[in-house]
Amino acid sequence: MQKQQKSESDLLRTYGRIITLTLVLVIMAVIASKHFSSVENIGTKGLQLEHSRLLYVLAMVKSQWLSQGRPSALKLSWEDTGVGSANRQPNEVKVQPQNNIIQMSPQGWPLLNSSDEAGCRALWHQLMASDLHDIKADVFYQKEPEICRFTTEQSGSISYQASSGRVIFLEGSG
């Protein structure tokens, strides 16, 4: 009888371990699913910040345009704050002056240098003083309403309509 009791005790201990292991795995699965769902949104949050920054820069550009008497072209004086800029010496931070002059619409919005994706990239670089590869964005150009669309793999996009200065952030459309 003693062997049977020992066997039953070992069996109950094994069942207890299996149940404990199952509960730990379920808890880890729940935590992992919540973690990985939040990781997918990190890129979109970065794009939301870029959206806010673009709105701020456009407001500053329009203010500068108004204060200078509504010129047809405006010279911007940004510093390059792209990847690796924190490690540069102050005399190394240079923005080419010929690339800092942007054409302005009669309503005070920055215009594209060329009506294509290259014009959208150039405008982004002029306004934001950073490259699109910093945020891993692709550029699409829509000719009819003259819209630049900057999209990321994380399912977010920023659209800029050059004729009206309208900026739209879309989350969840890749």
Side-chain angles (χ1 to χ4, degrees), residues 36-86:
F36 288 119
S37 68
S38 68
V39 167
E40 292 174 1
N41 295 329
I42 288 174
T44 304
K45 289 182 190 214
L47 200 60
Q48 285 176 335
L49 291 174
E50 290 297 313
H51 170 250
S52 299
R53 197 172 133 219
L54 179 61
L55 290 173
Y56 178 71
V57 167
L58 286 171
M60 286 182 6
V61 167
K62 184 149 188 180
S63 174
Q64 189 176 358
W65 175 77
L66 287 169
S67 69
Q68 292 183 9
R70 301 178 183 215
S72 61
L74 193 63
K75 182 176 181 191
L76 302 177
S77 357
W78 310 134
E79 290 184 357
D80 187 5
T81 58
V83 172
S85 64

Side-chain angles (χ1 to χ4, degrees), residues 74-123:
L74 193 63
K75 182 176 181 191
L76 302 177
S77 357
W78 310 134
E79 290 184 357
D80 187 5
T81 58
V83 172
S85 64
N87 298 328
R88 292 190 196 120
Q89 297 298 324
N91 59 355
E92 292 181 59
V93 178
K94 294 179 180 164
V95 178
Q96 297 81 9
Q98 69 272 19
N99 292 338
N100 264 357
I101 298 174
I102 57 172
Q103 299 298 315
M104 300 294 288
S105 72
Q107 294 80 27
W109 303 113
L111 295 174
L112 302 173
N113 293 340
S114 60
S115 297
D116 57 5
E117 291 172 1
C120 293
R121 281 188 189 90
L123 183 66

Side-chain angles (χ1 to χ4, degrees), residues 14-52:
T14 304
Y15 283 142
R17 288 179 183 160
I18 290 173
I19 290 172
T20 303
L21 183 63
T22 304
L23 286 174
V24 168
L25 288 175
V26 167
I27 290 170
M28 287 177 60
V30 168
I31 291 171
S33 69
K34 290 187 183 277
H35 170 73
F36 288 119
S37 68
S38 68
V39 167
E40 292 174 1
N41 295 329
I42 288 174
T44 304
K45 289 182 190 214
L47 200 60
Q48 285 176 335
L49 291 174
E50 290 297 313
H51 170 250
S52 299

